[in-house]
């Protein structure tokens, strides 16, 4: 019934909503909920960003079975690698020095597609399945409105009253949404090409050892071969372009690096992380390719960039990771830092050799046509080209202020008592 007491015309077209859909329980319930509670036509979009979900055709069909008018699974992997992960490598992107930002990096790409599709289908609404406690809601909302502030964002999990999983499953059963047989969800998992995040369940006690069944991308380091495996990563302009001399796309480099590092048990992380909303959370990650490629990249940068540039870049790397973690992909600052990186990365070309063994990663060699390492300057052996006499004058000026201060303070005071 409308406000005027008339029954609404059934043939008036409904408003549309584009949903970021994964095929899991939450977003499946949402497909139904948006129809039942909001009277909307649902367009369900599942982004393939390299997650461990092989049957995307079934995921897509499931949304149609739940009444979505359109359901699409879009392969975003190449774009994810070339447009987003390439920049994460440039920026050595790790939040709080540890987490390679795998979830934070995928959200802007999914948001971009959702917004494009909303425009294509003339939808006023977009929706996602994030909870009200996490970072992903911040990222989706910020990215979506960064691209189109006029869209209305629906976040049913954040808004509905189905606070417990039991209630959610009851609602699902009552509305014909298939529910998993296990009532309790052991973990919350998000995964893509850049790694895998495992949260919740027994991990919420920070003293519990992560159960071995949480790890799927990395072999148990204790069971790995005793012999190290060597891998050579080739870079052009700061982007990995080959493995062991074989040229390949960035997407293939990442897939292969995940295999190589994964089988050597490298890439596991267990960390307490500071969420945007102020909560500390215990996170387990496995990030074989991302950690390996960032380590290789950082090594090559140390060879190709000068000391001042490295110092400046290290600060900008922290800011970049912070912006991305906080959902500010579509922001002036992130783009400005990428412009700085575009300049510096012109020289980050060459190769890095690494060894993997039983969960460890060890740098084993590096070379570059732009190497600033000068054998003549560095050597302590024959062929030394460094002018040792120049150091004397340099140190004279370098220490001038300390000497002056010490002289002014007088013996026994100031600098002399600083220890
Ligand atoms: N803590 C990580 C982040 O905020 C991982 C989030 C994983 N998301 C999830 N829905 N399980 O980026």
């Amino acid at each position: 019934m409308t406000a005027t007491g008339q029954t609404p015309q059934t043939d008036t077209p409904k408003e549309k909503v584009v949903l970021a859909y994964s095929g899991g329980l939450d977003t499946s319930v949402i497909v139904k909920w948006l129809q039942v509670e909001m009277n909307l036509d649902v367009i369900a979009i599942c982004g393939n960003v390299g997650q461990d979900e092989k049957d995307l055709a079934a995921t897509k069909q499931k949304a149609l079975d739940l009444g979505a008018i359109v359901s699409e699974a879009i392969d975003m992997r190449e774009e994810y690698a070339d447009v987003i992960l390439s920049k994460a490598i440039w920026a050595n992107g790790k939040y709080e020095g540890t987490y390679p930002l795998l979830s934070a990096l995928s959200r802007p790409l999914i948001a971009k597609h959702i917004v494009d599709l909303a425009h294509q289908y003339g939808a006023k609404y977009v929706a996602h399945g994030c909870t009200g406690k996490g970072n992903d809601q911040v990222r989706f909302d910020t990215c979506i409105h960064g691209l189109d502030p006029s869209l209305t964002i629906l976040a049913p999990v954040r808004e509905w009253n189905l606070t417990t999983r039991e209630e959610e499953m009851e609602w699902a059963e009552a509305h014909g949404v298939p529910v998993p047989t296990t009532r309790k969800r052991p973990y919350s998992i998000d995964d893509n090409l850049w790694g895998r995040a495992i949260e919740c369940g027994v991990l919420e006690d920070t003293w519990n050892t992560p159960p071995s069944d949480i790890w799927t991308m990395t072999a148990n380091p204790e069971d790995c071969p005793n012999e190290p495996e060597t891998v050579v990563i080739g870079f052009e302009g700061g982007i990995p372009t080959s493995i062991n001399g074989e040229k390949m796309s960035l997407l293939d480099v990442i897939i292969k690096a995940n295999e190589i590092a994964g089988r050597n048990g490298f890439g596991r992380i267990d960390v307490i992380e500071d969420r945007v909303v102020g909560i500390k959370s215990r996170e387990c990650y496995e990030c074989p390719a991302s950690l390996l490629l960032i380590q290789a990249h950082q090594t090559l940068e140390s060879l190709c960039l000068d000391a001042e540039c490295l110092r400046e870049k290290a600060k900008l790397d922290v800011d970049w990771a912070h912006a991305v973690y906080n959902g500010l992909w579509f922001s002036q600052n992130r783009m400005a830092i990428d412009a700085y990186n575009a300049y510096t990365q012109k020289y980050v070309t060459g190769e890095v050799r690494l060894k993997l063994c039983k969960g460890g990663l060890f740098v084993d060699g590096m070379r570059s046509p732009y190497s600033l390492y000068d054998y003549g300057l560095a050597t302590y052996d024959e062929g030394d080209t460094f002018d040792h006499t120049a150091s004397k004058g340099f140190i004279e000026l370098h220490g001038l202020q300390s000497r002056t201060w010490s002289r002014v303070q007088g013996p026994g005071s100031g600098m002399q008592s600083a220890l």
Side-chain angles (χ1 to χ4, degrees):
M1 298 280 273
T2 63
T4 52
Q6 287 161 351
T7 308
Q9 294 281 321
T10 44
D11 54 357
T12 42
K14 290 182 189 168
E15 292 290 353
K16 297 189 188 80
V17 57
V18 179
L19 167 68
Y21 164 76
S22 72
L25 178 66
D26 285 343
T27 54
S28 299
V29 172
I30 291 171
V31 171
K32 219 12 162 221
W33 193 88
L34 292 166
Q35 299 168 69
V36 174
E37 307 285 339
M38 302 287 297
N39 194 32
L40 295 170
D41 273 341
V42 179
I43 295 152
I45 302 301
C46 179
N48 177 4
V49 280
Q51 61 271 47
D52 186 28
E53 172 55 72
K54 299 285 171 276
D55 202 353
L56 289 174
T59 301
K60 183 175 148 175
Q61 185 58 42
K62 190 173 166 191
L64 292 173
D65 294 344
L66 290 167
I69 58 159
V70 177
S71 177
E72 280 186 48
I74 303 176
D75 189 348
M76 304 178 185
R77 291 174 309 157
E78 206 146 25
E79 193 183 6
Y80 187 37
D82 292 342
V83 179
I84 307 252
L85 300 182
S86 57
K87 297 193 178 89
I89 296 168
W90 278 4
N92 302 308
K94 287 196 235 172
Y95 178 65
E96 294 183 333
T98 307
Y99 161 51
L101 297 162
L102 59 105
S103 301
L105 288 161
S106 72
R107 297 312 188 260
L109 180 64
I110 296 167
K112 169 83 171 67
H113 280 270
I114 295 291
V115 170
D116 285 350
L117 286 156
H119 294 161
Q120 193 180 311
Y121 284 100
K124 268 200 211 160
Y125 298 92
V126 293
H128 59 70
C130 303
T131 71
K133 285 182 83 167
N135 295 318
D136 290 326
Q137 53 165 347
V138 179
R139 297 170 185 148
F140 267 132
D141 289 11
T142 306
C143 289
I144 289 163
H145 276 162
L147 292 166
D148 183 352
S150 75
L151 288 167
T152 301
I153 301 170
L154 302 172
V157 176
R158 193 168 56 191
E159 282 141 32
W160 67 25
N161 293 323
L162 310 173
T163 46
T164 68
R165 186 161 164 95
E166 285 297 319
E167 283 172 321
E168 183 182 356
M169 285 171 86
E170 271 163 33
W171 192 96
E173 264 164 0
H175 292 86
V177 182
V179 297
T181 42
T182 42
R183 304 298 286 185
K184 207 164 153 38
R185 178 172 12 208
Y187 309 110
S188 166
I189 291 171
D190 185 44
D191 68 325
N192 60 62
L193 288 172
W194 215 225
R196 194 159 161 276
I198 310 109
E199 309 168 304
C200 307
V202 294
L203 300 171
E204 286 177 355
D205 178 338
T206 60
W207 192 242
N208 280 344
T209 298
S212 56
D213 70 349
I214 70 166
W215 310 111
T216 63
M217 294 178 83
T218 52
N220 181 5
E222 290 155 36
D223 303 334
C224 286
N226 290 329
E227 285 305 304
E229 178 169 358
T230 300
V231 60
V232 177
I233 308 291
F235 286 85
E236 284 169 36
I239 308 291
T241 51
S242 69
I243 294 195
N244 295 332
E246 192 189 329
K247 287 248 169 235
M248 57 186 89
S249 67
L250 179 56
L251 174 59
D252 288 339
V253 166
I254 295 167
I255 292 171
K256 189 144 195 198
N258 270 328
E259 276 165 31
I260 296 172
R263 68 175 170 243
N264 286 286
F266 172 72
R268 294 184 179 184
I269 302 168
D270 182 355
V271 72
I272 300 296
E273 175 180 300
D274 291 285
R275 287 194 190 157
V276 186
V277 294
I279 300 170
K280 276 196 189 289
S281 75
R282 201 252 188 111
E283 305 279 334
C284 290
Y285 297 113
E286 39 188 355
C287 304
S290 47
L291 290 182
L292 182 143
L293 296 174
I294 289 171
Q295 172 70 72
H297 177 258
Q298 224 161 358
T299 301
L300 196 58
E301 281 190 325
S302 69
L303 191 66
C304 302
L305 301 182
D306 74 20
E308 288 308 306
C309 200
L310 284 170
R311 217 156 56 90
E312 190 58 40
K313 188 166 181 299
K315 289 185 272 181
L316 293 175
D317 285 354
V318 172
D319 291 345
W320 192 93
H322 200 73
V324 171
Y325 188 85
N326 287 2
L328 296 169
W329 179 268
F330 300 105
S331 67
Q332 280 191 335
N333 198 35
R334 195 275 303 165
M335 290 167 81
I337 296 173
D338 279 339
Y340 176 88
N341 287 345
Y343 179 80
T344 59
Q345 299 303 306
K346 282 196 270 189
Y347 308 104
V348 185
T349 292
E351 287 177 307
V352 179
R353 192 176 61 244
L354 307 115
K355 274 188 176 157
L356 291 143
C357 190
K358 285 185 136 9
L361 178 74
F362 309 92
V363 174
D364 197 49
M366 66 289 294
R367 62 181 177 189
S368 165
Y370 299 110
S371 172
L372 301 178
Y373 175 88
D374 183 313
Y375 179 85
L377 291 176
T379 186
Y380 284 92
D381 291 334
E382 256 172 65
D384 184 356
T385 58
F386 183 72
D387 178 3
H388 293 239
T389 60
S391 290
K392 193 166 180 299
F394 163 73
I395 297 166
E396 192 84 10
L397 300 184
H398 181 68
L400 182 58
Q401 296 212 337
S402 297
R403 288 202 313 281
T404 307
W405 192 50
S406 186
R407 191 165 34 76
V408 169
Q409 297 290 319
S413 63
M415 203 76 91
Q416 285 90 352
S417 61
L419 268 186

